[in-house]
Amino acid sequence: MQISGRLELSRRHLLIVGAASLAASSIATPPPAAAQSAPTGAPVMTRVSFDVNGETHQLELDTRTTLLDALREHLHLTGTKKGCDHGQCGACTVIVDGRRINSCLTLAVMHQGDEITTIEGLGTPDGLHPLQAAFIEHDGYQCGYCTPGQICSAVAVLAEVKAGIPSHVTADLNAPLRLTNAELRERMSGNICRCGAYSNIAEAISEVAGRSA
Amino acid sequence: MRSFSYERAASPGAAAAAAAGTANAKFIAGGTNLLDLMKLEIETPAHLIDVNDLALDRIEETADGGLRIGALVRNTDLAADIRVRRDYGVLSRALLAGASGQLRNKATTAGNLLQRTRCPYFYDTNLPCNKRKPGSGCAAIGGFSRQHAVVGVSDACIATHPSDMAVAMRALDAVVETVRPDGTTRSIPIAELHRLPGDSPEIETSLEPGELITAVVLPKPVGGAQAYRKVRDRASYAFALVSVAAIVQRDGTGRVALGGVAHKPWRVEAAEAKLPDGAKAVTARLFADAKPTKDNAYKLPLAERTLAAVLREARA
Ligand SMILES: Cc1cc2nc3c(=O)[nH]c(=O)nc-3n(C[C@H](O)[C@H](O)[C@H](O)COP(=O)(O)OP(=O)(O)OC[C@H]3O[C@@H](n4cnc5c(N)ncnc54)[C@H](O)[C@@H]3O)c2cc1C
Ligand code: SF4
Ligand code: FES
Ligand code: FES
């Protein structure tokens, strides 16, 4: 068990927030360019504990801390990325109790007792997850910033297909699912890649999906 | 983000009572809309009441053959429910057309209904917006209004309601069940949940302060060919410019509700009577009182063509 709870507002953090505003501008509503303004009320601290990649962590956090910031700034698991901080890009995708979510749009305090898997928990440099290996083999990235989110999302997509969850492009809601390329692309649409590595990402996932089918 | 205190409510009644008894309190469910707005300080609650422990996450059959959907049922689970897929296809389709896989995993039934507009001026805190800051004016009127409402608008606000799910629920005549801070419960037909902007666009629903949505009830299945067609700037992960939820029976009668055109899901029962006469007749009635801007007048022919495509598909 690890205890940590420092509020770190480093220069690096501010730079990340700044970059996030730029990344988001392609979608629906651009967030303001300025960093978040100072709170008027005093910070409210609260305790929460949850498992990350099989390890239990107890944290004392400002209630405002998102799950994303808890992972990155407090647990120093920086594999999960902050792109837009507004649910518009998917860079922050993690798996909570088996389901993929945007860690930027949920509060850490709302995850008491949850089991969280981040990119660090899927594989290691010596023991890659099959999807990690496939992304390398198929060149499923350029800068790599969206990649942890893409891979976490892809892991969950394969489970969703297995569970028979339909998508927008599923032709018949009441027939068995087939994982076509169109299905895959629709299901991965919550992960934006500003480098445009989409076709290689789709190939990497298809290969693993084909193997496990 | 402003600082806030946080509690987990233990029962629906306790949640409603806490909301009424605490200054500037808000419920939080999936958090996907509220936290987005809190980060921008468009929403500034001083206290959050987490409703995720309320055991309102089940879908049950009602005595008269319908479904009671708990307020906390996630959009993914509602869309995938085998009964919804079979009997209320328009609802599955609308849900699956919204947001992304990640967001649907968090987004709840009640939160989806109560999500706020995506009007870009509502999001831009440097500009006037009567909905965000009553009395400050409306930057969309006379601004870029390509995404905005064409019907039911007022001089104070021309925003649209962004939900896809709500449009299908309007076509299905869903009923919203609530509990009030004094413990009493009531049922609100979905047609009466959302308001038109009028001169108080900041008041978006008929809910009272502290009133908690506990469930949404679907009447027994009505059959027919069911479809939801959404037109947007890209094929996925974008809000509707125009959307059509339709239920068409073999005899040519049916129901039609539109999204992306008004401050609430837009359904006019008198327009549906024109269904056997085709899409043009229906939309002429739906938009009889339309007041489009030069930027969004395209939505009128677009809605007609989208409805025509849906009817063709339904009758095929
Ligand atoms: C990038 C992005 C794209 C999106 N695209 C789409 C789209 O294409 N189509 C679409 O329809 N939606 C879209 N959405 C919106 C999404 O569907 C909503 O954010 C979501 O449905 C809100 O549900 P929630 O449970 O997270 O609500 P929350 O954020 O938790 O709450 C929303 C509001 O509802 C209130 N509330 C919650 N539960 C209750 C209750 N039980 N009783 C009373 N009040 C309650 C809260 O106080 C708050 O005011 C998108 C969102 C994002 C971020
Ligand atoms: S249309 Fe409504 S939400 Fe948009 S700026 Fe005008 S008042 Fe605000
Ligand atoms: S950081 Fe972009 S979706 Fe969370
Ligand atoms: S690889 Fe650069 S954003 Fe996807």
Side-chain angles (χ1 to χ4, degrees):
Chain A
M1 167 140 17
Q2 187 182 327
I3 300 202
S4 96
R6 280 167 303 143
L7 182 73
E8 293 175 335
L9 240 194
S10 61
R11 192 176 117 78
R12 188 167 150 265
H13 177 88
L14 290 175
L15 285 173
I16 291 167
V17 172
S21 310
L22 285 177
S25 60
S26 64
I27 317 170
T29 43
Q36 290 163 7
S37 57
T40 44
V44 178
M45 304 301 287
T46 178
R47 276 178 168 268
V48 63
S49 72
F50 44 67
D51 281 16
V52 183
N53 304 328
E55 199 184 323
T56 303
H57 296 273
Q58 192 166 344
L59 295 167
E60 189 170 347
L61 299 171
D62 187 315
T63 49
R64 287 170 289 188
T65 314
T66 59
L67 178 59
L68 174 60
D69 286 344
L71 292 169
R72 289 183 53 88
E73 309 295 328
H74 296 267
L75 299 175
H76 305 292
L77 290 166
T78 53
T80 308
K81 299 295 187 251
K82 183 183 283 188
C84 65
D85 214 19
H86 286 274
Q88 302 175 349
C89 77
C92 66
T93 304
V94 299
I95 301 172
V96 176
D97 292 340
R99 316 185 100 188
R100 56 178 169 149
I101 66 166
N102 303 100
S103 60
C104 70
L105 282 190
T106 188
L107 295 170
V109 294
M110 297 173 77
H111 292 281
Q112 176 62 39
D114 286 356
E115 281 180 26
I116 296 152
T117 304
T118 68
I119 188 73
E120 290 93 344
L122 286 177
T124 62
D126 303 323
L128 294 175
H129 183 282
L131 272 161
Q132 289 173 316
F135 267 65
I136 293 170
E137 196 187 314
H138 290 271
D139 240 345
Y141 44 77
Q142 283 182 37
C143 76
Y145 198 78
C146 71
T147 314
Q150 300 277 2
I151 293 179
C152 284
S153 205
V155 168
V157 162
L158 297 185
E160 287 163 17
V161 169
K162 214 168 186 177
I165 292 172
S167 86
H168 174 60
V169 301
T170 306
D172 183 348
L173 287 177
N174 301 301
L177 266 178
R178 280 184 42 241
L179 188 55
T180 58
N181 193 264
E183 278 282 0
L184 221 154
R185 285 172 174 268
E186 162 60 23
R187 288 165 191 272
M188 290 296 293
S189 74
N191 293 84
I192 308 288
C193 174
R194 67 92 67 220
C195 299
Y198 296 112
S199 58
N200 292 358
I201 292 170
E203 276 170 29
I205 304 171
S206 305
E207 193 209 306
V208 175
R211 252 191 269 147
S212 59
Chain B
M1 201 190 297
R2 305 274 178 88
S3 64
F4 55 84
S5 48
Y6 168 88
E7 75 174 291
R8 285 165 177 265
S11 73
T22 321
N24 201 3
K26 278 225 140 217
F27 302 121
I28 185 163
T32 61
N33 188 230
L34 185 57
L35 288 170
D36 188 12
L37 295 170
M38 283 171 63
K39 287 180 184 194
L40 300 169
E41 299 195 359
I42 294 165
E43 296 270 18
T44 53
H47 184 67
L48 284 187
I49 301 166
D50 184 342
V51 296
N52 285 284
D53 290 345
L54 296 187
L56 298 173
D57 54 358
R58 281 185 292 270
I59 305 175
E60 296 160 350
E61 281 154 39
T62 59
D64 55 0
L67 288 181
R68 174 174 284 103
I69 302 157
L72 287 164
V73 172
R74 307 289 154 172
N75 287 180
T76 299
D77 299 313
L78 184 55
D81 185 274
I82 205 78
R83 296 160 293 188
V84 177
R85 279 150 80 168
R86 188 187 60 216
D87 298 329
Y88 306 95
V90 65
L91 180 56
S92 276
R93 288 291 180 198
L95 284 159
L96 295 171
S100 67
Q102 290 96 313
L103 288 160
R104 292 192 298 272
N105 277 344
K106 271 267 130 193
T108 63
T109 307
N112 190 318
L113 283 177
L114 299 181
Q115 64 175 296
R116 306 197 67 191
T117 186
R118 307 302 286 205
C119 169
Y121 301 105
F122 173 72
Y123 269 80
D124 186 341
T125 49
N126 296 308
L127 290 173
C129 168
N130 288 323
K131 189 185 276 298
R132 175 166 34 74
K133 195 165 175 240
S136 63
C138 170
I141 298 175
F144 291 100
S145 53
R146 180 175 170 273
Q147 304 171 27
H148 291 78
V150 292
V151 70
V153 296
S154 73
D155 293 340
C157 178
I158 58 170
T160 58
H161 194 274
S163 169
D164 291 295
M165 181 194 79
V167 181
M169 288 194 166
R170 179 68 181 90
L172 290 165
D173 280 329
V175 175
V176 176
E177 294 185 341
T178 71
V179 58
R180 287 182 282 205
D182 66 3
T184 57
T185 59
R186 65 169 172 152
S187 297
I188 308 169
I190 186 133
E192 290 161 28
L193 179 71
H194 298 107
R195 296 174 75 253
L196 287 177
D199 53 15
S200 54
E202 73 283 8
I203 305 171
E204 294 168 347
T205 69
S206 55
L207 296 177
E208 295 167 11
E211 188 166 4
L212 179 85
I213 296 180
T214 51
V216 176
V217 175
L218 301 180
K220 72 172 190 311
V222 292
Q226 304 197 1
Y228 186 78
R229 186 131 170 181
K230 178 174 177 182
V231 184
R232 39 186 161 171
D233 285 330
R234 57 179 182 196
S236 187
Y237 202 15
F239 288 92
L241 295 169
V242 161
S243 70
V244 172
I247 303 171
V248 184
Q249 305 294 348
R250 279 179 176 284
D251 63 5
T253 63
R255 305 177 184 185
V256 175
L258 267 59
V261 297
H263 201 253
K264 57 193 278 189
W266 195 250
R267 181 173 171 203
V268 177
E269 275 77 352
E272 291 170 1
K274 308 270 183 204
L275 265 172
D277 302 334
K280 199 180 184 71
V282 177
T283 48
R285 180 68 186 81
L286 274 169
F287 294 128
D289 303 316
K291 269 200 210 153
T293 66
K294 72 176 183 349
D295 291 347
N296 68 21
Y298 75 94
K299 288 193 178 187
L300 301 179
L302 182 60
E304 182 192 322
R305 280 186 232 127
T306 309
L307 177 61
V310 166
L311 294 180
R312 235 185 349 262
E313 205 180 291
R315 285 164 185 162

